[in-house]
Structures are given as structure tokens and as C-alpha cells.
Amino acid sequence: MRRSAAWLALVAVLVPGGCQSAPPVPADPNRPAVTSAALGELSPRMTLEVERRLPHDPTAFTQGLEFHDGQLYESRGEYGSSAITRIDPETGATITSTPLPEDHFGEGLTVVGDQIWMLTWRAGVAYTFDRETLAETGQVSYDGEGWGLCDEPDRLVMSDGSDTLTFRDPSSFEVIGEVAVTRDGSPILNLNELECLDGLVLANVWQTDEILIIDPATGQVVTTIDASGLLSQADRQGLSDPRNAVLNGIAYDLDREVLLVTGKLWPAMFEVRLTPQ
Ligand code: DDQ
Ligand code: CA
């Protein structure tokens, strides 16, 4: 006993910073390593490397962003300026736009077949639009708030500002299930814009610089992405409404294999790559 204690003391002296450095966080034995075909091997904490900065309309209150067949769709919020739009992925310019009524605050969107589903914040109305013309094709009502939306092969995934992700039928919008999102056992509230990718769900957390990668089968967060620092100091100084100009907008282009992120009222979109933190 005495001998091993002395040995440990010697190691502590010899290893630089041995006594001061925090012990490594033990790997959670219940959390299997996750690899995404699109994003590669996922570690619990990751950050973003900017590959390309692209323009974004700084008046666009981005609530949803999604690529479909190389086209980029953006849904926009705020009372009086909510709209479903198709934008140029290179310039951010609006190509086509259909406004919502002034009393509807637009939220997330997702493309399913030749239709787009788009949420409203507190009106309890989900719209459908034709993917080509952006003409309205229908409305359904739902309970509670609408925040983010994305689509898996046979279901929609929706957030409502809580820690719950709700699964819905992609044709009827009926609720078919739900999961509570947790990180290390604690609920994560304010889940906002979503992106479904490789059986995982990426989610902005409202008013933070975090993007979570969630396993929708368990609700467990497998990766926390630190997305801070995308906007420069000059960008921040030019924002029209800094309080509302939060990270929001995640879209993966399957054709070009590009992950694009932006924010509400941001002057730029960023093509990014994940790297371990
Ligand atoms: N949400 O998109 C996170 C769901 C809501 C954002 C609300 C931002 C406040 C804008 C001012 C609202 C005026 C009633
Ligand atoms: Ca999205």
C-alpha cells in the first residue's frame, strides 16, 4: 500500500500539471459512438469550421431553412412579414415568395414530395404550399405552438419550444408519437429550427449558439455543437434587431453534401464543417 501511494505521489510530481488538471470526463458507457453518413463521426462536443460565407437577406426573420432537389427554401416570421420563400443559395436573394396573413407568425418548414409544410407560432395553423409555385394548397389546425419542422422518410418531426419533439403523419399532420429530449439526463427546452439527417435530428436551441444532434429514438443528445462566433463584430454592429437576431436555420444539401446555417436577420449564411472541439 505504502509503496503504491509513494509511486502515485511521484507520478503526480513528474506529470506536468498532473495535480491541477481536471480529470477527463468519463465516456458514457450507455452512449454508443454515432457516425452520420453525411456528417462523419460525431463526438459529444463539436464546433463549426466555416468553409464559405454567403450573403443572406438581413431583413429575413429566418424560421426554417431546407434544401430540396438543390432548391433552397426559407420560411420567415414576424407579424406582417411572414412568408414562405425560395431563395438563391449563392446570393440569398428571394426568388419566389408567398406572404402569410398579417396575424400569422411564420415558423419552421419542410418539403414533402411536391408540397411544403409550414408552421405558425401561435395560430395553430399549418399551411401547405406547392413546392414549385409556392401557392397555398391547404391548411390544417394543431394544438399548441409551432417552432421547427423537418421530415424523415415516413414522418415529420416538430418542435414547439419545449423539450418535446412530436412525430406527425406527413400527409394528415396527425400526431403519431413524441420523444422528450435530454442531455446527460436533463431536459433541453426551447428546441427550435430542425434538420432531419441520417436518422438524426439537428436542432437549434433558441437564444443560444448551440446546435444539438439528437437521436430521435431515445431523445438523447449525442452531440452538442458550439456554433458561436459565426458573425463578426462588424456583423453584430449592423444588426437591425440584435435581441431577435439569433442563430436559426439549418439545412443540409444532399446533392452538394453541404451543411448550411444562418440566423434570424443575419447578413450571412455559412457553409460549415463539423470538427471535434
Ligand atoms: N419563436 O420563433 C422562437 C417561436 C418565437 C420568436 C418570437 C420573437 C419575438 C418577436 C416579437 C413578437 C411580438 C409578439
Ligand atoms: Ca431545416
Side-chain angles (χ1 to χ4, degrees):
M1 282 304 272
R2 255 192 73 80
R3 200 172 149 179
S4 61
W7 174 239
L8 275 177
L10 181 65
V11 170
V13 169
L14 293 180
V15 175
C19 287
Q20 286 81 32
S21 64
V25 177
D28 178 353
N30 301 318
R31 181 189 282 167
V34 176
T35 302
S36 150
L39 302 175
E41 195 178 319
L42 301 176
S43 5
R45 301 223 156 242
M46 303 189 84
T47 185
L48 296 179
E49 207 170 281
V50 175
E51 303 250 285
R52 215 151 70 103
R53 179 189 166 113
L54 296 156
H56 180 247
D57 181 346
T59 68
F61 198 93
T62 310
Q63 297 284 49
L65 196 67
E66 187 170 299
F67 279 105
H68 191 93
D69 281 347
Q71 309 279 332
L72 183 56
Y73 297 87
E74 180 178 61
S75 54
R76 297 179 182 166
E78 286 192 302
Y79 294 112
S81 58
S82 292
I84 179 71
T85 68
R86 189 164 68 240
I87 66 174
D88 185 324
E90 290 293 313
T91 66
T94 303
I95 300 168
T96 316
S97 175
T98 299
L100 264 54
E102 299 223 330
D103 58 344
H104 283 188
F105 195 110
E107 289 285 342
L109 91 158
T110 196
V111 183
V112 179
D114 56 7
Q115 298 287 307
I116 301 169
W117 281 106
M118 178 172 164
L119 304 173
T120 54
W121 181 19
R122 289 179 161 161
V125 173
Y127 285 87
T128 53
F129 300 97
D130 180 272
R131 173 161 73 89
E132 290 299 319
T133 63
L134 305 190
E136 185 185 328
T137 53
Q139 294 181 16
V140 300
S141 56
Y142 58 88
D143 292 333
E145 297 194 4
W147 286 42
L149 195 63
C150 67
D151 76 304
E152 296 194 317
D154 52 9
R155 63 182 183 182
L156 307 179
V157 183
M158 173 172 159
S159 66
D160 62 4
S162 72
D163 58 336
T164 302
L165 293 178
T166 304
F167 305 118
R168 291 180 179 272
D169 181 285
S171 11
S172 68
F173 213 68
E174 298 278 313
V175 174
I176 54 175
E178 61 175 43
V179 68
V181 174
T182 57
R183 179 170 52 198
D184 303 326
S186 304
I188 308 284
L189 300 167
N190 290 316
L191 300 173
N192 201 2
E193 222 281 278
L194 304 177
E195 185 71 7
C196 293
L197 185 63
D198 291 338
L200 299 166
V201 178
L202 282 72
N204 285 152
V205 184
W206 185 48
Q207 290 182 316
T208 76
D209 287 321
E210 280 185 352
I211 296 174
L212 308 179
I213 306 182
I214 299 157
D215 177 354
T218 61
Q220 282 182 25
V221 172
V222 295
T223 298
T224 299
I225 303 166
D226 175 359
S228 61
L230 292 171
L231 291 185
S232 67
Q233 194 77 359
D235 288 331
R236 294 218 164 267
Q237 275 160 10
L239 293 171
S240 60
D241 181 0
R243 235 168 32 93
N244 275 314
V246 290
L247 178 75
N248 207 39
I250 315 168
Y252 188 80
D253 185 352
L254 288 168
D255 298 346
R256 291 186 302 129
E257 302 185 350
V258 159
L259 182 64
L260 186 71
V261 298
T262 190
K264 300 176 186 184
L265 308 171
W266 280 20
M269 310 188 279
F270 300 90
E271 289 184 1
V272 292
R273 177 180 301 279
L274 293 189
T275 54
Q277 198 172 34

